[in-house]
Each structure stands twice: as structure tokens, then as C-alpha cells.
Amino acid sequence: HVQLVESGGGLVQAGGSLRLSCAASGRTVSYAMAWFRQAPGKEREFVAAISWSRGNTYYADSVKGRFTISRDNAKNTVYLQMDSLKSEDTAVYYCAAGRTVVGLILARSYDYWGQGTQVTVSS
């Protein structure tokens, strides 16, 4: 069983940066890891993912070039560096983990979810 705890959210002005962290309680070296987000009144959407084997990364078009996902397997932690933040990035951000090698952009591919961390970008 894997438990995920996100941190690093907060309030930031548009154009600013934040780095989210997701610490896993168990070993997740063989798990794909991802970030999703959910804004008020909207469905949860994919943000970024990283595979476990080669560290291949995937991004939603809306964040490509601004966000960077990375992982430190020794620390069982995945990060999301968010730069050039926009007001539309405001959401609760969730970390996810799953034993999957396909469908990394799909929420149903992930077995474990964190509680989420709030990111608010003021314009």
C-alpha cells in the first residue's frame, strides 16, 4: 500500500513560481507518478506524468513549457516545478501513483491518490 502526501501549495501572484512535492510512504520506484488538478466546478484534469522505467515525461498542452515534473526515487518523492503561473492554474493539485506503463494521462490508470494541495494564483 502506498500513501501520498502533497506539499508546497500556496498563494502566488501571476508570473510567479511554486514547487509542489509529493512524498510516498512506500517504495514507488516501479510506479508511474502524475499530477492532476481540479478547479472549482470543473472535472479533475491531467497535468503531468513521469514513467518509472525511463523517466519519460508527459504534459498537458496547457502547462507545456511552464511546468516540469521530476522524481527522486531514492527519496520516494515526485516534484512539480510550476513557473510562469497563470490565474487559470488555480486549483487543488493531486499527486497520483500507479503500476502502469500505458495511459499515463488517464486518471483511471492510477491506484493511489494524495489528499491534494491548494494552489491559488492571483492576477
Side-chain angles (χ1 to χ4, degrees):
H1 186 72
V2 174
Q3 290 187 317
L4 305 173
V5 178
E6 303 98 335
S7 62
L11 174 64
V12 64
Q13 288 188 333
S17 298
L18 282 176
R19 188 175 84 152
L20 305 183
S21 298
C22 173
S25 61
R27 285 188 57 81
T28 56
V29 65
S30 61
Y31 283 70
M33 304 290 293
W35 290 93
F36 288 76
R37 67 186 182 186
Q38 188 167 17
K42 295 187 177 181
E43 294 186 351
R44 190 170 299 191
E45 65 174 0
F46 169 75
V47 176
I50 185 166
S51 68
W52 72 269
S53 58
R54 298 183 179 182
N56 294 334
T57 57
Y58 307 85
Y59 296 95
D61 288 343
S62 59
V63 307
K64 200 171 294 184
R66 300 187 299 121
F67 291 10
T68 303
I69 188 170
S70 61
R71 64 190 298 165
D72 185 336
N73 288 336
K75 295 182 178 180
N76 289 331
T77 301
V78 65
Y79 305 96
L80 185 68
Q81 177 66 40
M82 305 186 295
D83 299 318
S84 303
L85 282 161
K86 305 175 181 179
S87 57
E88 51 262 45
D89 294 319
T90 295
V92 176
Y93 283 69
Y94 297 90
C95 177
R99 288 185 175 271
T100 179
V101 295
V102 297
L104 269 66
I105 69 172
L106 302 175
R108 64 174 182 264
S109 298
Y110 297 90
D111 305 303
Y112 303 102
W113 294 82
Q115 293 299 309
T117 185
Q118 176 70 48
V119 171
T120 303
V121 184
S122 63
S123 57

